[in-house]
Amino acid sequence: GESVGLHLPTLSVQEGDNSIINCAYSNSASDYFIWYKQESGKGPQFIIDIRSNMDKRQGQRVTVLLNKTVKHLSLQIAATQPGDSAVYFCAENMGGGGADGLTFGKGTHLIIQP
Amino acid sequence: DVKVTQSSRYLVKRTGEKVFLECVQDMDHENMFWYRQDPGLGLRLIYFSYDVKMKEKGDIPEGYSVSREKKERFSLILESASTNQTSMYLCASSLIVGMGELFFGEGSRLTVL
């Protein structure tokens, strides 16, 4: 079964506000995490990743925070824009460098209100 | 730019038909993956391959098989399609298994009647 999950299936935010999308994971051995964005009718696209030896990583308008104590991952999007409307997935590598890729969460649908 | 191309965006097949979903990547990646995506279930790994002619079962391989005769091409085969295989199928490739970015295709939406 999946150990990666999201707290909310849908998140609605006002344009210009900051968005925070949360993700919980259950495997303490997971050592690598990725956030993907999937727009309607398209495949998932990489946003940002973080390794377990870090607790924060920043990209362009996005920040990923990792709290290993409570096994929680979050994606913060600054100044949300209409183009940010999408489903966001977190994914974890279950550790051990196994050949089975990543395990994905079920996704959060981010809706931008004008 | 990395490109993962799935040959069919939309397919409609009948129960019992044999279905081929083709995927080609142009980045010389060793690793290729097939996922299916269903509402409320997220992405689930069907099969993956880390080398030509190599394949490994993912989480939900039942009812599927794969073929990797060339490095750039990874095919998903439904020997006898069933209605519960109606889904979005996503192909992906990566340079490093378990680390680094997965590059996804646009998806193939299969409907089995």
mmCIF file of all heavy atoms in Angstrom, chain B residues 2-48:
data_model
loop_
_atom_site.group_PDB
_atom_site.id
_atom_site.type_symbol
_atom_site.label_atom_id
_atom_site.label_comp_id
_atom_site.label_asym_id
_atom_site.label_seq_id
_atom_site.Cartn_x
_atom_site.Cartn_y
_atom_site.Cartn_z
ATOM 1 N N VAL B 2 14.299 16.977 -22.797
ATOM 2 C CA VAL B 2 13.965 15.560 -22.775
ATOM 3 C C VAL B 2 12.568 15.376 -23.338
ATOM 4 O O VAL B 2 11.666 16.152 -23.048
ATOM 5 C CB VAL B 2 13.994 15.020 -21.334
ATOM 6 C CG1 VAL B 2 13.501 13.580 -21.293
ATOM 7 C CG2 VAL B 2 15.375 15.143 -20.755
ATOM 8 N N LYS B 3 12.439 14.343 -24.130
ATOM 9 C CA LYS B 3 11.107 14.097 -24.657
ATOM 10 C C LYS B 3 10.757 12.630 -24.499
ATOM 11 O O LYS B 3 11.520 11.739 -24.905
ATOM 12 C CB LYS B 3 11.025 14.491 -26.130
ATOM 13 C CG LYS B 3 9.597 14.619 -26.631
ATOM 14 C CD LYS B 3 9.526 15.416 -27.909
ATOM 15 C CE LYS B 3 8.111 15.545 -28.419
ATOM 16 N NZ LYS B 3 7.258 16.322 -27.503
ATOM 17 N N VAL B 4 9.632 12.406 -23.875
ATOM 18 C CA VAL B 4 9.066 11.067 -23.780
ATOM 19 C C VAL B 4 7.768 11.102 -24.572
ATOM 20 O O VAL B 4 6.862 11.881 -24.250
ATOM 21 C CB VAL B 4 8.805 10.673 -22.311
ATOM 22 C CG1 VAL B 4 8.160 9.295 -22.239
ATOM 23 C CG2 VAL B 4 10.106 10.703 -21.513
ATOM 24 N N THR B 5 7.711 10.273 -25.574
ATOM 25 C CA THR B 5 6.575 10.308 -26.493
ATOM 26 C C THR B 5 5.779 9.021 -26.387
ATOM 27 O O THR B 5 6.315 7.927 -26.540
ATOM 28 C CB THR B 5 7.059 10.486 -27.944
ATOM 29 O OG1 THR B 5 7.859 11.668 -28.043
ATOM 30 C CG2 THR B 5 5.878 10.607 -28.894
ATOM 31 N N GLN B 6 4.504 9.192 -26.126
ATOM 32 C CA GLN B 6 3.589 8.061 -26.119
ATOM 33 C C GLN B 6 2.787 8.122 -27.410
ATOM 34 O O GLN B 6 2.204 9.154 -27.737
ATOM 35 C CB GLN B 6 2.686 8.105 -24.885
ATOM 36 C CG GLN B 6 3.481 7.932 -23.608
ATOM 37 C CD GLN B 6 2.605 7.897 -22.365
ATOM 38 O OE1 GLN B 6 2.870 8.604 -21.404
ATOM 39 N NE2 GLN B 6 1.590 7.063 -22.355
ATOM 40 N N SER B 7 2.758 7.009 -28.122
ATOM 41 C CA SER B 7 2.267 7.034 -29.499
ATOM 42 C C SER B 7 0.786 7.351 -29.609
ATOM 43 O O SER B 7 0.359 7.978 -30.581
ATOM 44 C CB SER B 7 2.567 5.697 -30.174
ATOM 45 O OG SER B 7 1.996 4.642 -29.423
ATOM 46 N N SER B 8 -0.001 6.933 -28.638
ATOM 47 C CA SER B 8 -1.446 7.143 -28.733
ATOM 48 C C SER B 8 -1.935 7.953 -27.542
ATOM 49 O O SER B 8 -1.680 7.573 -26.410
ATOM 50 C CB SER B 8 -2.189 5.808 -28.779
ATOM 51 O OG SER B 8 -1.725 5.011 -29.847
ATOM 52 N N ARG B 9 -2.613 9.043 -27.779
ATOM 53 C CA ARG B 9 -3.175 9.824 -26.678
ATOM 54 C C ARG B 9 -4.497 9.245 -26.203
ATOM 55 O O ARG B 9 -4.807 9.281 -25.014
ATOM 56 C CB ARG B 9 -3.391 11.274 -27.115
ATOM 57 C CG ARG B 9 -2.125 12.075 -27.345
ATOM 58 C CD ARG B 9 -1.276 12.238 -26.084
ATOM 59 N NE ARG B 9 -1.989 12.779 -24.948
ATOM 60 C CZ ARG B 9 -2.175 14.078 -24.710
ATOM 61 N NH1 ARG B 9 -1.724 14.973 -25.549
ATOM 62 N NH2 ARG B 9 -2.818 14.476 -23.635
ATOM 63 N N TYR B 10 -5.282 8.745 -27.151
ATOM 64 C CA TYR B 10 -6.596 8.198 -26.808
ATOM 65 C C TYR B 10 -6.811 6.899 -27.592
ATOM 66 O O TYR B 10 -6.547 6.847 -28.784
ATOM 67 C CB TYR B 10 -7.720 9.180 -27.165
ATOM 68 C CG TYR B 10 -7.596 10.514 -26.472
ATOM 69 C CD1 TYR B 10 -6.973 11.588 -27.102
ATOM 70 C CD2 TYR B 10 -8.094 10.698 -25.188
ATOM 71 C CE1 TYR B 10 -6.844 12.806 -26.454
ATOM 72 C CE2 TYR B 10 -7.972 11.920 -24.541
ATOM 73 C CZ TYR B 10 -7.335 12.966 -25.179
ATOM 74 O OH TYR B 10 -7.217 14.173 -24.542
ATOM 75 N N LEU B 11 -7.251 5.871 -26.866
ATOM 76 C CA LEU B 11 -7.583 4.606 -27.527
ATOM 77 C C LEU B 11 -8.899 4.097 -26.957
ATOM 78 O O LEU B 11 -9.155 4.229 -25.760
ATOM 79 C CB LEU B 11 -6.537 3.525 -27.276
ATOM 80 C CG LEU B 11 -5.097 3.742 -27.651
ATOM 81 C CD1 LEU B 11 -4.325 4.264 -26.472
ATOM 82 C CD2 LEU B 11 -4.482 2.431 -28.124
ATOM 83 N N VAL B 12 -9.676 3.480 -27.827
ATOM 84 C CA VAL B 12 -10.889 2.788 -27.407
ATOM 85 C C VAL B 12 -10.795 1.363 -27.923
ATOM 86 O O VAL B 12 -10.634 1.152 -29.131
ATOM 87 C CB VAL B 12 -12.158 3.474 -27.943
ATOM 88 C CG1 VAL B 12 -13.406 2.710 -27.465
ATOM 89 C CG2 VAL B 12 -12.233 4.923 -27.478
ATOM 90 N N LYS B 13 -10.866 0.412 -27.020
ATOM 91 C CA LYS B 13 -10.732 -0.998 -27.378
ATOM 92 C C LYS B 13 -11.898 -1.784 -26.781
ATOM 93 O O LYS B 13 -12.600 -1.324 -25.888
ATOM 94 C CB LYS B 13 -9.408 -1.557 -26.850
ATOM 95 C CG LYS B 13 -8.179 -0.882 -27.429
ATOM 96 C CD LYS B 13 -7.998 -1.203 -28.895
ATOM 97 C CE LYS B 13 -6.748 -0.579 -29.458
ATOM 98 N NZ LYS B 13 -6.594 -0.876 -30.912
ATOM 99 N N ARG B 14 -12.072 -2.981 -27.299
ATOM 100 C CA ARG B 14 -13.128 -3.851 -26.788
ATOM 101 C C ARG B 14 -12.533 -4.888 -25.849
ATOM 102 O O ARG B 14 -11.359 -5.279 -25.979
ATOM 103 C CB ARG B 14 -13.860 -4.530 -27.933
ATOM 104 C CG ARG B 14 -14.602 -3.540 -28.822
ATOM 105 C CD ARG B 14 -15.716 -4.203 -29.609
ATOM 106 N NE ARG B 14 -16.464 -3.198 -30.360
ATOM 107 C CZ ARG B 14 -17.461 -2.479 -29.847
ATOM 108 N NH1 ARG B 14 -17.835 -2.649 -28.601
ATOM 109 N NH2 ARG B 14 -18.091 -1.598 -30.580
ATOM 110 N N THR B 15 -13.333 -5.365 -24.939
ATOM 111 C CA THR B 15 -12.925 -6.417 -24.010
ATOM 112 C C THR B 15 -12.372 -7.602 -24.791
ATOM 113 O O THR B 15 -12.968 -8.044 -25.779
ATOM 114 C CB THR B 15 -14.128 -6.864 -23.168
ATOM 115 O OG1 THR B 15 -14.615 -5.752 -22.425
ATOM 116 C CG2 THR B 15 -13.733 -7.961 -22.192
ATOM 117 N N GLY B 16 -11.203 -8.084 -24.339
ATOM 118 C CA GLY B 16 -10.583 -9.235 -24.973
ATOM 119 C C GLY B 16 -9.563 -8.887 -26.044
ATOM 120 O O GLY B 16 -8.789 -9.756 -26.467
ATOM 121 N N GLU B 17 -9.562 -7.649 -26.496
ATOM 122 C CA GLU B 17 -8.595 -7.249 -27.511
ATOM 123 C C GLU B 17 -7.193 -7.151 -26.913
ATOM 124 O O GLU B 17 -7.025 -6.881 -25.717
ATOM 125 C CB GLU B 17 -8.969 -5.881 -28.107
ATOM 126 C CG GLU B 17 -10.075 -5.934 -29.132
ATOM 127 C CD GLU B 17 -10.180 -4.612 -29.891
ATOM 128 O OE1 GLU B 17 -9.421 -4.425 -30.852
ATOM 129 O OE2 GLU B 17 -11.027 -3.784 -29.505
ATOM 130 N N LYS B 18 -6.203 -7.312 -27.762
ATOM 131 C CA LYS B 18 -4.807 -7.118 -27.362
ATOM 132 C C LYS B 18 -4.464 -5.660 -27.618
ATOM 133 O O LYS B 18 -4.771 -5.123 -28.697
ATOM 134 C CB LYS B 18 -3.888 -8.041 -28.142
ATOM 135 C CG LYS B 18 -2.461 -8.087 -27.617
ATOM 136 C CD LYS B 18 -1.680 -9.229 -28.278
ATOM 137 C CE LYS B 18 -0.298 -9.377 -27.671
ATOM 138 N NZ LYS B 18 0.439 -10.540 -28.220
ATOM 139 N N VAL B 19 -3.835 -5.026 -26.648
ATOM 140 C CA VAL B 19 -3.553 -3.599 -26.742
ATOM 141 C C VAL B 19 -2.052 -3.368 -26.559
ATOM 142 O O VAL B 19 -1.435 -3.937 -25.650
ATOM 143 C CB VAL B 19 -4.326 -2.803 -25.671
ATOM 144 C CG1 VAL B 19 -4.046 -1.300 -25.828
ATOM 145 C CG2 VAL B 19 -5.820 -3.079 -25.766
ATOM 146 N N PHE B 20 -1.493 -2.552 -27.424
ATOM 147 C CA PHE B 20 -0.087 -2.154 -27.322
ATOM 148 C C PHE B 20 -0.020 -0.656 -27.062
ATOM 149 O O PHE B 20 -0.577 0.133 -27.824
ATOM 150 C CB PHE B 20 0.669 -2.453 -28.619
ATOM 151 C CG PHE B 20 0.869 -3.902 -28.908
ATOM 152 C CD1 PHE B 20 -0.087 -4.611 -29.634
ATOM 153 C CD2 PHE B 20 2.003 -4.568 -28.478
ATOM 154 C CE1 PHE B 20 0.096 -5.956 -29.909
ATOM 155 C CE2 PHE B 20 2.187 -5.908 -28.751
ATOM 156 C CZ PHE B 20 1.234 -6.613 -29.470
ATOM 157 N N LEU B 21 0.685 -0.290 -26.008
ATOM 158 C CA LEU B 21 0.960 1.129 -25.755
ATOM 159 C C LEU B 21 2.470 1.322 -25.912
ATOM 160 O O LEU B 21 3.257 0.659 -25.241
ATOM 161 C CB LEU B 21 0.509 1.528 -24.351
ATOM 162 C CG LEU B 21 -0.991 1.384 -24.064
ATOM 163 C CD1 LEU B 21 -1.300 1.797 -22.630
ATOM 164 C CD2 LEU B 21 -1.817 2.195 -25.031
ATOM 165 N N GLU B 22 2.819 2.243 -26.801
ATOM 166 C CA GLU B 22 4.229 2.441 -27.123
ATOM 167 C C GLU B 22 4.768 3.707 -26.488
ATOM 168 O O GLU B 22 4.076 4.727 -26.411
ATOM 169 C CB GLU B 22 4.407 2.534 -28.640
ATOM 170 C CG GLU B 22 3.855 1.351 -29.420
ATOM 171 C CD GLU B 22 4.725 0.125 -29.291
ATOM 172 O OE1 GLU B 22 5.890 0.243 -28.878
ATOM 173 O OE2 GLU B 22 4.218 -0.973 -29.593
ATOM 174 N N CYS B 23 6.015 3.653 -26.083
ATOM 175 C CA CYS B 23 6.666 4.807 -25.462
ATOM 176 C C CYS B 23 8.104 4.877 -25.954
ATOM 177 O O CYS B 23 8.816 3.864 -25.961
ATOM 178 C CB CYS B 23 6.641 4.650 -23.943
ATOM 179 S SG CYS B 23 7.527 5.944 -23.047
ATOM 180 N N VAL B 24 8.517 6.076 -26.351
ATOM 181 C CA VAL B 24 9.873 6.295 -26.834
ATOM 182 C C VAL B 24 10.468 7.500 -26.121
ATOM 183 O O VAL B 24 9.794 8.522 -25.984
ATOM 184 C CB VAL B 24 9.888 6.537 -28.364
ATOM 185 C CG1 VAL B 24 11.302 6.834 -28.840
ATOM 186 C CG2 VAL B 24 9.314 5.343 -29.102
ATOM 187 N N GLN B 25 11.727 7.366 -25.666
ATOM 188 C CA GLN B 25 12.417 8.507 -25.049
ATOM 189 C C GLN B 25 13.699 8.786 -25.813
ATOM 190 O O GLN B 25 14.324 7.879 -26.356
ATOM 191 C CB GLN B 25 12.696 8.240 -23.561
ATOM 192 C CG GLN B 25 13.371 6.925 -23.243
ATOM 193 C CD GLN B 25 14.853 6.967 -23.105
ATOM 194 O OE1 GLN B 25 15.479 8.047 -23.199
ATOM 195 N NE2 GLN B 25 15.473 5.828 -22.873
ATOM 196 N N ASP B 26 14.074 10.059 -25.825
ATOM 197 C CA ASP B 26 15.199 10.481 -26.662
ATOM 198 C C ASP B 26 16.417 10.934 -25.857
ATOM 199 O O ASP B 26 17.297 11.616 -26.387
ATOM 200 C CB ASP B 26 14.745 11.584 -27.620
ATOM 201 C CG ASP B 26 14.337 12.867 -26.907
ATOM 202 O OD1 ASP B 26 14.386 12.912 -25.658
ATOM 203 O OD2 ASP B 26 13.941 13.816 -27.601
ATOM 204 N N MET B 27 16.470 10.574 -24.568
ATOM 205 C CA MET B 27 17.571 11.047 -23.729
ATOM 206 C C MET B 27 18.557 9.943 -23.357
ATOM 207 O O MET B 27 19.368 10.121 -22.450
ATOM 208 C CB MET B 27 17.014 11.696 -22.456
ATOM 209 C CG MET B 27 16.600 13.121 -22.649
ATOM 210 S SD MET B 27 17.958 14.192 -23.201
ATOM 211 C CE MET B 27 18.957 14.237 -21.713
ATOM 212 N N ASP B 28 18.452 8.811 -24.005
ATOM 213 C CA ASP B 28 19.387 7.723 -23.726
ATOM 214 C C ASP B 28 19.327 7.270 -22.256
ATOM 215 O O ASP B 28 20.320 6.835 -21.673
ATOM 216 C CB ASP B 28 20.829 8.140 -24.080
ATOM 217 C CG ASP B 28 21.728 6.942 -24.332
ATOM 218 O OD1 ASP B 28 21.238 5.934 -24.886
ATOM 219 O OD2 ASP B 28 22.914 7.005 -23.967
ATOM 220 N N HIS B 29 18.143 7.383 -21.662
ATOM 221 C CA HIS B 29 17.965 6.957 -20.279
ATOM 222 C C HIS B 29 17.949 5.439 -20.183
ATOM 223 O O HIS B 29 17.390 4.748 -21.029
ATOM 224 C CB HIS B 29 16.652 7.511 -19.726
ATOM 225 C CG HIS B 29 16.736 8.962 -19.377
ATOM 226 N ND1 HIS B 29 15.612 9.710 -19.064
ATOM 227 C CD2 HIS B 29 17.782 9.805 -19.271
ATOM 228 C CE1 HIS B 29 15.983 10.944 -18.788
ATOM 229 N NE2 HIS B 29 17.301 11.027 -18.916
ATOM 230 N N GLU B 30 18.568 4.951 -19.112
ATOM 231 C CA GLU B 30 18.568 3.512 -18.878
ATOM 232 C C GLU B 30 17.202 3.011 -18.399
ATOM 233 O O GLU B 30 16.790 1.907 -18.712
ATOM 234 C CB GLU B 30 19.611 3.155 -17.814
ATOM 235 C CG GLU B 30 21.041 3.536 -18.140
ATOM 236 C CD GLU B 30 21.645 2.664 -19.211
ATOM 237 O OE1 GLU B 30 21.131 1.540 -19.437
ATOM 238 O OE2 GLU B 30 22.618 3.079 -19.868
ATOM 239 N N ASN B 31 16.536 3.832 -17.608
ATOM 240 C CA ASN B 31 15.369 3.367 -16.868
ATOM 241 C C ASN B 31 14.075 3.877 -17.466
ATOM 242 O O ASN B 31 13.951 5.056 -17.788
ATOM 243 C CB ASN B 31 15.460 3.848 -15.418
ATOM 244 C CG ASN B 31 16.812 3.566 -14.823
ATOM 245 O OD1 ASN B 31 17.230 2.430 -14.715
ATOM 246 N ND2 ASN B 31 17.533 4.630 -14.463
ATOM 247 N N MET B 32 13.135 2.982 -17.612
ATOM 248 C CA MET B 32 11.821 3.364 -18.119
ATOM 249 C C MET B 32 10.750 2.695 -17.276
ATOM 250 O O MET B 32 10.956 1.615 -16.717
ATOM 251 C CB MET B 32 11.677 3.006 -19.597
ATOM 252 C CG MET B 32 12.664 3.756 -20.484
ATOM 253 S SD MET B 32 12.384 3.550 -22.243
ATOM 254 C CE MET B 32 10.934 4.586 -22.494
ATOM 255 N N PHE B 33 9.601 3.376 -17.205
ATOM 256 C CA PHE B 33 8.541 2.970 -16.286
ATOM 257 C C PHE B 33 7.176 3.099 -16.969
ATOM 258 O O PHE B 33 6.969 3.986 -17.810
ATOM 259 C CB PHE B 33 8.523 3.888 -15.058
ATOM 260 C CG PHE B 33 9.824 3.983 -14.327
ATOM 261 C CD1 PHE B 33 10.822 4.851 -14.756
ATOM 262 C CD2 PHE B 33 10.060 3.229 -13.198
ATOM 263 C CE1 PHE B 33 12.038 4.960 -14.084
ATOM 264 C CE2 PHE B 33 11.267 3.318 -12.513
ATOM 265 C CZ PHE B 33 12.254 4.178 -12.948
ATOM 266 N N TRP B 34 6.259 2.238 -16.560
ATOM 267 C CA TRP B 34 4.855 2.407 -16.916
ATOM 268 C C TRP B 34 4.036 2.511 -15.639
ATOM 269 O O TRP B 34 4.136 1.656 -14.734
ATOM 270 C CB TRP B 34 4.331 1.219 -17.739
ATOM 271 C CG TRP B 34 4.591 1.348 -19.198
ATOM 272 C CD1 TRP B 34 5.512 0.682 -19.938
ATOM 273 C CD2 TRP B 34 3.890 2.207 -20.122
ATOM 274 N NE1 TRP B 34 5.441 1.065 -21.247
ATOM 275 C CE2 TRP B 34 4.455 1.998 -21.387
ATOM 276 C CE3 TRP B 34 2.845 3.117 -19.989
ATOM 277 C CZ2 TRP B 34 4.013 2.669 -22.532
ATOM 278 C CZ3 TRP B 34 2.401 3.782 -21.118
ATOM 279 C CH2 TRP B 34 2.987 3.554 -22.374
ATOM 280 N N TYR B 35 3.239 3.581 -15.563
ATOM 281 C CA TYR B 35 2.311 3.796 -14.462
ATOM 282 C C TYR B 35 0.891 3.849 -15.024
ATOM 283 O O TYR B 35 0.678 4.210 -16.176
ATOM 284 C CB TYR B 35 2.573 5.147 -13.784
ATOM 285 C CG TYR B 35 3.846 5.248 -12.983
ATOM 286 C CD1 TYR B 35 5.038 5.607 -13.591
ATOM 287 C CD2 TYR B 35 3.848 5.015 -11.608
ATOM 288 C CE1 TYR B 35 6.216 5.722 -12.851
ATOM 289 C CE2 TYR B 35 5.013 5.133 -10.865
ATOM 290 C CZ TYR B 35 6.188 5.488 -11.500
ATOM 291 O OH TYR B 35 7.343 5.610 -10.762
ATOM 292 N N ARG B 36 -0.064 3.534 -14.157
ATOM 293 C CA ARG B 36 -1.431 3.894 -14.490
ATOM 294 C C ARG B 36 -1.921 4.880 -13.443
ATOM 295 O O ARG B 36 -1.490 4.838 -12.270
ATOM 296 C CB ARG B 36 -2.367 2.698 -14.615
ATOM 297 C CG ARG B 36 -2.640 1.889 -13.386
ATOM 298 C CD ARG B 36 -3.655 0.783 -13.661
ATOM 299 N NE ARG B 36 -5.037 1.267 -13.698
ATOM 300 C CZ ARG B 36 -6.098 0.513 -13.971
ATOM 301 N NH1 ARG B 36 -5.944 -0.770 -14.252
ATOM 302 N NH2 ARG B 36 -7.312 1.023 -13.973
ATOM 303 N N GLN B 37 -2.783 5.779 -13.913
ATOM 304 C CA GLN B 37 -3.282 6.845 -13.053
ATOM 305 C C GLN B 37 -4.792 6.806 -13.028
ATOM 306 O O GLN B 37 -5.445 6.904 -14.072
ATOM 307 C CB GLN B 37 -2.802 8.212 -13.563
ATOM 308 C CG GLN B 37 -3.215 9.356 -12.680
ATOM 309 C CD GLN B 37 -2.649 10.686 -13.149
ATOM 310 O OE1 GLN B 37 -2.359 10.884 -14.317
ATOM 311 N NE2 GLN B 37 -2.462 11.603 -12.225
ATOM 312 N N ASP B 38 -5.332 6.659 -11.828
ATOM 313 C CA ASP B 38 -6.777 6.601 -11.657
ATOM 314 C C ASP B 38 -7.202 7.606 -10.595
ATOM 315 O O ASP B 38 -6.478 7.806 -9.608
ATOM 316 C CB ASP B 38 -7.214 5.197 -11.238
ATOM 317 C CG ASP B 38 -6.832 4.142 -12.259
ATOM 318 O OD1 ASP B 38 -7.482 4.123 -13.318
ATOM 319 O OD2 ASP B 38 -5.875 3.383 -12.024
ATOM 320 N N PRO B 39 -8.364 8.237 -10.756
ATOM 321 C CA PRO B 39 -8.832 9.225 -9.774
ATOM 322 C C PRO B 39 -8.869 8.638 -8.367
ATOM 323 O O PRO B 39 -9.395 7.550 -8.147
ATOM 324 C CB PRO B 39 -10.235 9.562 -10.275
ATOM 325 C CG PRO B 39 -10.219 9.257 -11.723
ATOM 326 C CD PRO B 39 -9.311 8.074 -11.872
ATOM 327 N N GLY B 40 -8.281 9.372 -7.426
ATOM 328 C CA GLY B 40 -8.287 8.934 -6.040
ATOM 329 C C GLY B 40 -7.230 7.910 -5.692
ATOM 330 O O GLY B 40 -7.020 7.618 -4.514
ATOM 331 N N LEU B 41 -6.565 7.377 -6.705
ATOM 332 C CA LEU B 41 -5.541 6.358 -6.448
ATOM 333 C C LEU B 41 -4.146 6.833 -6.807
ATOM 334 O O LEU B 41 -3.159 6.155 -6.510
ATOM 335 C CB LEU B 41 -5.857 5.086 -7.229
ATOM 336 C CG LEU B 41 -7.156 4.371 -6.848
ATOM 337 C CD1 LEU B 41 -7.386 3.162 -7.751
ATOM 338 C CD2 LEU B 41 -7.136 3.943 -5.379
ATOM 339 N N GLY B 42 -4.042 7.954 -7.481
ATOM 340 C CA GLY B 42 -2.731 8.473 -7.842
ATOM 341 C C GLY B 42 -2.065 7.640 -8.913
ATOM 342 O O GLY B 42 -2.723 6.996 -9.738
ATOM 343 N N LEU B 43 -0.755 7.640 -8.914
ATOM 344 C CA LEU B 43 0.034 6.897 -9.886
ATOM 345 C C LEU B 43 0.485 5.579 -9.276
ATOM 346 O O LEU B 43 1.061 5.561 -8.180
ATOM 347 C CB LEU B 43 1.267 7.690 -10.309
ATOM 348 C CG LEU B 43 1.091 8.766 -11.365
ATOM 349 C CD1 LEU B 43 0.380 9.976 -10.806
ATOM 350 C CD2 LEU B 43 2.445 9.165 -11.938
ATOM 351 N N ARG B 44 0.255 4.500 -9.980
ATOM 352 C CA ARG B 44 0.667 3.183 -9.500
ATOM 353 C C ARG B 44 1.578 2.540 -10.540
ATOM 354 O O ARG B 44 1.265 2.520 -11.729
ATOM 355 C CB ARG B 44 -0.554 2.306 -9.219
ATOM 356 C CG ARG B 44 -1.395 2.793 -8.051
ATOM 357 C CD ARG B 44 -2.611 1.905 -7.827
ATOM 358 N NE ARG B 44 -3.565 2.004 -8.907
ATOM 359 C CZ ARG B 44 -4.582 1.160 -9.085
ATOM 360 N NH1 ARG B 44 -4.738 0.129 -8.272
ATOM 361 N NH2 ARG B 44 -5.431 1.336 -10.082
ATOM 362 N N LEU B 45 2.681 1.990 -10.067
ATOM 363 C CA LEU B 45 3.703 1.434 -10.946
ATOM 364 C C LEU B 45 3.292 0.059 -11.435
ATOM 365 O O LEU B 45 3.006 -0.840 -10.637
ATOM 366 C CB LEU B 45 5.035 1.377 -10.207
ATOM 367 C CG LEU B 45 6.233 0.858 -10.978
ATOM 368 C CD1 LEU B 45 6.556 1.782 -12.158
ATOM 369 C CD2 LEU B 45 7.433 0.737 -10.054
ATOM 370 N N ILE B 46 3.300 -0.121 -12.749
ATOM 371 C CA ILE B 46 2.924 -1.403 -13.349
ATOM 372 C C ILE B 46 4.173 -2.263 -13.578
ATOM 373 O O ILE B 46 4.283 -3.379 -13.082
ATOM 374 C CB ILE B 46 2.185 -1.191 -14.689
ATOM 375 C CG1 ILE B 46 0.969 -0.285 -14.500
ATOM 376 C CG2 ILE B 46 1.749 -2.542 -15.273
ATOM 377 C CD1 ILE B 46 0.314 0.131 -15.815
ATOM 378 N N TYR B 47 5.080 -1.733 -14.361
ATOM 379 C CA TYR B 47 6.341 -2.396 -14.685
ATOM 380 C C TYR B 47 7.414 -1.336 -14.852
ATOM 381 O O TYR B 47 7.125 -0.189 -15.177
ATOM 382 C CB TYR B 47 6.232 -3.178 -16.003
ATOM 383 C CG TYR B 47 5.857 -4.629 -15.889
ATOM 384 C CD1 TYR B 47 4.529 -5.023 -16.060
ATOM 385 C CD2 TYR B 47 6.815 -5.611 -15.641
ATOM 386 C CE1 TYR B 47 4.172 -6.356 -15.976
ATOM 387 C CE2 TYR B 47 6.458 -6.950 -15.552
ATOM 388 C CZ TYR B 47 5.128 -7.324 -15.727
ATOM 389 O OH TYR B 47 4.769 -8.641 -15.644
ATOM 390 N N PHE B 48 8.654 -1.749 -14.671
ATOM 391 C CA PHE B 48 9.758 -0.877 -15.013
ATOM 392 C C PHE B 48 10.884 -1.699 -15.617
ATOM 393 O O PHE B 48 10.889 -2.935 -15.537
ATOM 394 C CB PHE B 48 10.231 -0.064 -13.812
ATOM 395 C CG PHE B 48 10.785 -0.885 -12.682
ATOM 396 C CD1 PHE B 48 12.148 -1.064 -12.539
ATOM 397 C CD2 PHE B 48 9.935 -1.441 -11.735
ATOM 398 C CE1 PHE B 48 12.658 -1.813 -11.491
ATOM 399 C CE2 PHE B 48 10.433 -2.190 -10.684
ATOM 400 C CZ PHE B 48 11.805 -2.381 -10.563
#
